[in-house]
Each structure stands twice: as structure tokens, then as C-alpha cells.
Amino acid sequence: MKSVRQVLLVLTLVAITAVLGACSGQAEQPGGASAAGLSSSASAPAVEVDEGLLSVDVAIRRSLIDPEGELTDEQIIQSAKDNGMAAVVNDDTVTYTMTRKQQQEMLDRMRASIQESTDELVNDASNSFTDIGFNDDLTAFTVEVDGQRYSVFESFYAVVLFVGGGLFQQFSGVEADDLDVEVQFVDNASGEVLESGSLREWLDQQEQQPD
């Protein structure tokens, strides 16, 4: 069985590679010119979206883009430029400016990645998941399970869905205070809700943990 850490890492890498230009193709510059590249992303409550007429500003914690601290300011800025975006680095915040088209392409890619990740979890015969569904704005996930095989430890996979849904919502423009993702684990035979939780509850728990 894939660990929660492994699946969460996949989603995080999708976000990072989108920002740092692992994708190729032609995307519009924020000012209208064309350049190679795509879009951007990061982690749940660390992102703010400011929409203008032609462009979108996305502020991301630098530690999410470069967790190992290996990139210089110049490398981050140049990478954005090479991929049709502008970037401004200010301490632990990197603000990317992209077109609305680039933002939509990034959201489409994130949605596809979340779908792929949930499909992989369902197809993993070592867990009890039989289906994972989510709504259009990724605020709610329903994980159907084989109640005879379900283990309470499998509820930790909710963290993967919290992060995936949170990333998508923030880049869609949801304010941090309004951000939430609800996850239910449901017995596929009886319809009974076995476990449930929310991103907001999880974030509150993280904040209460001692340093």
C-alpha cells in the first residue's frame, strides 16, 4: 500500500513542477506575449489569489516551492520568466503573475492529477477503497470503502484529499478564511459514515501542536 506521505508527495511535486516549469508548450506572457511553459501551484493556506483584468497574482510560500532551500532568488525569477510568468521574491513569499489562461490550465492539470491519484488509491488492492468521488469545486470528497476490510488507519489518507482540494480552491480564488475540504469514509454496502473530517479541523490541530 502506498503511504500517505508518498501520495501527498506526488501532489506536492505536481504543484512544484507546475511552478518551476516541468511542463512544456506555449503559454501567454502576462502582458500578452507567447513563451514556453505553463502555470503554478503550492500548498493549502499559503496561497493568495488577486485577479486583475488580464492577469492573476498568486502568492506562495517559498518554502513550498523550494523545501530544501537550494534555489537562489535569481533561479526562481528566471524559471518563471522562461515559462511565461513573472515572479517577485520577498523573503518567504514568491508572487507569480500569470494570465487567466495559464491559471485555468494549471487548475485543469491539478484536477487531473487529483483524479489520477484517487484512481490509483482505488486500484490499490491492499486498501479497502472501492471508489473516491469529489464535487466540482473540490470542497467535498466521498471515499467508499469495503466495510469488512476498512481500517481506521486508512482515514489518514484524508490528509491527501485535504491538501489536494485546498490547493485547487486557493488557486481558484477562495479566501484562506473560507477554505475547507470535507472528507467522508462511507461503507459501500450500508451507506454508514465510518469516519469524517475537514481541512479546517486538521489545520486547527496542526496549529495546536507544540513546536
Side-chain angles (χ1 to χ4, degrees), residues 2 7 22 30 34 36 53 56 66-67 70 74 78 96 121 126 128 131 138 142 149 160 171 178 184 187 200:
K2 285 188 177 181
V7 181
S34 178
L53 292 176
V56 179
D66 181 25
E70 297 176 346
E74 291 74 17
Q78 186 62 47
Y96 290 90
L121 288 174
S126 64
S128 68
D131 186 64
L138 274 70
T142 300
R149 298 179 56 213
V160 175
F171 276 97
D178 297 328
Q184 290 187 335
D187 187 315
R200 184 59 55 191

Side-chain angles (χ1 to χ4, degrees), residues 1 16 22 29 37 40 52 76 117-118 122 144 150 160 179 185 189 196:
M1 178 189 296
I16 293 172
Q29 292 275 11
S40 74
I76 293 174
S117 295
T118 56
V122 171
E144 295 188 14
Y150 178 71
V160 175
L179 187 69
F185 292 83
S196 65

Side-chain angles (χ1 to χ4, degrees), residues 146-166:
D146 179 345
Q148 299 298 316
R149 298 179 56 213
Y150 178 71
S151 165
V152 65
F153 294 107
E154 291 179 332
S155 65
F156 287 107
Y157 279 100
V159 175
V160 175
L161 306 180
F162 292 157
V163 172

Side-chain angles (χ1 to χ4, degrees), residues 7-142:
V7 181
L8 188 57
L9 179 60
V10 170
L11 287 177
T12 303
L13 287 175
V14 167
I16 293 172
T17 54
V19 172
L20 296 183
C23 300
S24 62
Q26 292 296 315
E28 295 178 0
Q29 292 275 11
S34 178
L38 195 62
S39 50
S40 74
S41 172
S43 183
V47 183
E48 296 178 357
V49 177
D50 179 25
E51 296 191 12
L53 292 176
L54 299 175
S55 64
V56 179
D57 289 341
V58 182
I60 306 172
R61 287 180 185 168
R62 180 183 182 138
S63 56
L64 296 173
I65 303 169
D66 181 25
E68 301 299 324
E70 297 176 346
L71 299 175
T72 66
D73 291 359
E74 291 74 17
Q75 287 175 313
I76 293 174
I77 292 169
Q78 186 62 47
S79 177
K81 183 178 179 181
D82 290 344
N83 289 279
M85 297 180 289
V88 175
V89 180
N90 184 12
D91 295 328
D92 190 43
T93 301
V94 181
T95 302
Y96 290 90
T97 301
M98 67 190 74
T99 66
R100 291 175 181 270
K101 179 181 177 181
Q102 287 173 311
Q103 181 196 30
Q104 187 58 55
E105 288 173 337
M106 180 270 295
L107 290 172
D108 289 344
R109 184 164 181 258
M110 289 180 67
R111 182 189 291 277
S113 175
I114 292 169
Q115 183 68 66
E116 181 179 351
S117 295
T118 56
D119 287 347
E120 287 181 1
L121 288 174
V122 171
N123 292 330
D124 184 349
S126 64
N127 63 50
S128 68
F129 304 154
T130 60
D131 186 64
I132 302 177
F134 49 86
N135 60 0
D136 288 343
D137 55 6
L138 274 70
T139 59
F141 289 80
T142 300

